[in-house]
Every structure is written in C-alpha cells, then in structure tokens.
Amino acid sequence: MSQVGLKALILKQYNLEEQNIKRFDINSVSFKITGLWRYHQFLPVDLEQAVTMGEGYTPLFKIDIAGSLVYVKQEQLFPSGSYKDRGATVLMSDVLKRGITKVVQDSSGNAGCAIAAYAANAGVKCDVYVPADTSEAKLTQIRAYGANLILVDGDREATATAALSAAENTYYASHCYNPLFLHGTKTFAYEVCEQLGWRAPDVVVLPAGNGTLLLGCYMGFKHLLESGVIEQMPHLIAVQAQNCAPLFKAWEQGLTEPVTVTANHTLAEGIAIANPVRGKEMLQAVKATNGFFVAVSEEEITAALKLCLSKGFYIEPTSSATIAGLIKAKQKLNAKTWVTLFSGHGLKSTEKVMSLLKK
Ligand SMILES: *Cc1c(COP(=O)(O)O)cnc(C)c1O
C-alpha cells in the first residue's frame, strides 16, 4: 500500500466520531479518584481496564506572568514528565482491552516516552522508530522503559514512513493519528473547568505541534458546552515557533490547510512539526473558538524560559514557547481568565538548559 493510502486508511480506522461518549454530567464524576480517571464515565475505556499510574488532575494555580496573574496548569508533573501521559493512559488501556500484545510508535520525544512508559506498565511490547541521529539523552528514557528502539537512517519523514509500514501488521499507537489519544488529552479541559468551579475560562493558550492537546482540549470543552456544563467556549490560542510555523503561516494567509515549510532549528523541538497530520482540524478548531495562532521567536522562547526558571519552575524550552505565546497573545486580546500550561519537565532537557546558562 502507498504511504498516502495507508495514512488515509489509518485516519478512517480511527474515525473520531466513532466513540460513543455519553453526555457530561457532574454527578457522574468519581471525585474519590484523585487523577484523570475520575472522568472514566466519559472515556471510551472502563475503569477496570485502566492502565494507570495515578496520573492527572494536575495543579492549576495563578502565576504572575508579565505583569498579570494567569492560571498555569502543571502538566510537567506527570509520571513520564509531560502531558502526553494523558493520551498514553487512555490509548494503552484500549490496547489492553483489545488484547493487543505489541504496538509501534514513532516519536523520539515525549510521546515516545509516554507510550513506552504505559506499555511497560501494561506489559505490552513496544517498538519505537526514531531517526538514527537522535541524541542519546533523548533515547535513554524510552530505552529505560524496556522499549525496543529501531534507528532509521534519514530524516523524521523516513522514520514516519518506516513506522507506518510496520503499522500494517502491528497496532499503531500513534499520538497523532489515534483518536484514543485525544480522548485522553480532552481530560485537560474537564480538569480546568472543574478546578475553576465548573466554569470555562475565557482563553486557553496551548502549544501547537501535532495538536494532540489542542484537539483534545477542543473536544473536551465542546463536550462540556454541548452537555450544558459550561456556558461559553473559551478562545483557543495556538502557539508555534517562528522557525517552524506551517499553521501560523496558513492562518495569517487565511488558508484552511497547513503551508509547506522547512523546519529550521528551534529550542522548542517538541512543537517543531513541519507536517502536522491533523493540521486542517487544528486550523478549524482554533477558528471555531474565535481564537488565533501566534508564532514566537527563539529570543522570546529563551526569555520566557528564564522568567519561569527565575520563579522556580523547571520546565523544558518547548514549554516556555507556550508561555512566550501567552505574553504575545495578551497584547492582542483583552480577556479576564487566562489558562495555560507547563507542558514538559525541565529534567528532560538538561543539555539545552545547560547551554542556555553558559550564554
Ligand atoms: C508534545 C509536546 C508539545 C506539543 O504538543 P502537540 O500535541 O504536538 O501539539 C508541547 N510541549 C511538550 C513538552 C510536548 O511534549
């Protein structure tokens, strides 16, 4: 099968509308469960089948950023160090439910870590395809969980192609394609509303790489709105790095598909996605909420990182890109309640932080 054919097949197999999720009802939340599985009634997997490490319900509290208080959700505080665990816990629970014993993944970053961690926890075998030139530091966490690393010569695209081919015979636990992942990340929206007293914030500022959090959030807030739990849809503001901004550029030109770009190096490696497979959906989601895209420079990412570090928050540079985006968005939009997040832990990128400190 051609790669294009395979991509189409996978997107169809994983049809987002397929899951039958019931209306959100506050009385059906299992408040005794401290993590995100408190919302199991609205997830496509039963609690008894959950592959969980007690993740989620991360703190949401106010931090002074550039002169005003905003709510920052502490998403760096997950078992594998990033919010990707939201998607991994739900996706891997579904894998176990279906009796699948082996999965493939193709991320050298936080998604690879999260899937490898939950595969280990579930006792499921996991092959992770990565570009051969990926740094040792990034691969250590994935390998440490016992995942089988397959190094692919060539660029990120070659790696994706190799993983897609493997996915013809093995379950593809993809954070980009698999909607089960989005059912996990949608819990971010549930938690934010619960933590605000079952109210929606006015604005949510999110990173935009492959859109796993952005699309999950959109899904979650939409569910709450349609169920009558909240009265308004927050504006979703999506942040890209200027050095790799296929969606920001499309947005500025009023296009509905991502534009073709070459990925220039950026400190925010976690959102440096030149070819987001759900790019069209991401543009649609932002538009549907009357939000917008912003792009941030390397200088802005660095300044935001230093600001967070100076307040005692040890986060990775990709996370500070979102904070830089929030600072920028605040100059464009006047709103009351702002929510954003720290997406990944700083201990994941010691080398980068080290090189920044030396400058
Ligand atoms: C994955 C990731 C992002 C970007 O998320 P997408 O789902 O690709 O849009 C941002 N920050 C961190 C730390 C990540 O791991």
Side-chain angles (χ1 to χ4, degrees):
M1 198 186 297
S2 75
Q3 289 316 318
V4 176
L6 192 54
K7 273 190 189 178
L9 178 85
I10 288 172
L11 279 177
K12 207 170 115 204
Q13 270 178 3
Y14 293 156
N15 187 346
L16 268 181
E17 313 305 329
E18 254 172 41
Q19 315 294 336
N20 211 352
I21 302 296
K22 67 177 174 196
R23 206 182 145 82
F24 196 101
D25 171 12
I26 297 173
N27 295 316
S28 297
V29 176
S30 304
F31 293 107
K32 278 189 188 146
I33 300 173
T34 50
L36 64 83
W37 283 92
R38 67 208 281 115
Y39 307 112
H40 65 92
Q41 296 272 6
F42 319 109
L43 296 175
V45 201
D46 292 338
L47 182 62
E48 296 74 50
Q49 289 155 326
V51 176
T52 175
M53 294 189 251
E55 59 291 304
Y57 214 73
T58 55
L60 175 75
F61 62 89
K62 285 180 177 168
I63 301 176
D64 182 342
I65 294 175
S68 66
L69 291 172
V70 297
Y71 286 101
V72 183
K73 206 151 162 57
Q74 307 292 302
E75 297 284 287
Q76 78 278 34
L77 305 179
F78 269 95
S80 85
S82 87
Y83 78 80
K84 297 288 194 312
D85 290 0
R86 288 189 188 277
T89 180
V90 173
L91 190 153
M92 205 52 71
S93 302
D94 177 68
V95 161
L96 213 57
K97 174 178 103 179
R98 297 201 216 184
I100 295 164
T101 54
K102 186 179 175 185
V103 300
V104 292
Q105 227 296 348
D106 60 338
S107 160
S108 56
N110 293 339
C113 291
I115 293 292
Y118 283 82
N121 192 262
V124 166
K125 287 202 184 81
C126 179
D127 282 353
V128 184
Y129 288 75
V130 294
D133 61 358
T134 307
S135 76
E136 218 23 63
K138 281 175 74 180
L139 301 181
T140 300
Q141 192 182 356
I142 297 173
R143 194 180 275 135
Y145 290 129
N148 179 32
L149 277 178
I150 297 140
L151 304 178
V152 182
D153 284 324
D155 58 6
R156 184 71 189 76
E157 208 54 33
T159 304
T161 304
L164 276 170
S165 297
E168 282 195 64
N169 307 311
T170 313
Y171 188 79
Y172 191 22
S174 168
H175 58 297
C176 314
Y177 292 105
N178 197 323
L180 265 300
F181 202 90
L182 301 183
H183 278 283
T185 54
K186 77 179 179 188
T187 58
F188 179 95
Y190 297 163
E191 290 179 18
V192 166
C193 289
E194 183 178 339
Q195 287 167 320
L196 294 176
W198 297 111
R199 278 183 307 114
D202 298 312
V203 189
V204 185
V205 182
L206 300 160
N210 276 307
T212 61
L213 186 59
L214 177 73
L215 292 173
C217 255
Y218 178 60
M219 196 171 166
F221 283 120
K222 200 159 164 263
H223 187 210
L224 292 169
L225 186 68
E226 285 168 357
S227 303
V229 176
I230 57 173
E231 283 161 12
Q232 58 165 41
M233 187 74 188
H235 304 294
L236 299 187
I237 296 177
V239 184
Q240 296 215 288
Q242 257 165 31
N243 282 356
C244 185
L247 296 165
F248 170 75
K249 286 184 181 153
W251 180 263
E252 291 292 290
Q253 296 169 38
L255 304 174
T256 57
E257 300 264 5
V259 300
T260 309
V261 296
T262 32
N264 291 316
H265 177 78
T266 170
L267 275 168
E269 59 180 20
I271 50 170
I273 309 295
N275 240 319
V277 292
R278 291 188 187 276
K280 193 175 172 176
E281 289 170 60
M282 293 166 76
L283 287 160
Q284 273 169 357
V286 170
K287 192 170 179 195
T289 68
N290 285 318
F292 53 86
F293 279 81
V294 294
V296 292
S297 68
E298 296 304 293
E299 292 72 35
E300 288 167 324
I301 296 169
T302 306
L305 181 63
K306 288 186 172 159
L307 176 76
C308 296
L309 293 173
S310 76
K311 291 174 185 288
F313 296 101
Y314 199 54
I315 57 172
E316 62 170 297
T318 301
S319 309
S320 72
T322 307
I323 304 304
L326 172 119
I327 294 169
K328 218 162 192 172
K330 279 188 140 265
Q331 295 159 2
K332 286 181 73 173
L333 179 71
N334 192 10
K336 206 167 152 227
T337 315
W338 291 71
V339 167
T340 189
L341 68 147
F342 291 148
S343 53
H345 206 288
L347 290 173
K348 280 178 175 278
S349 52
T350 302
E351 284 167 42
K352 273 192 181 170
V353 177
M354 236 153 63
S355 70
L356 275 179
L357 292 181
K358 277 183 194 143
K359 273 182 198 160

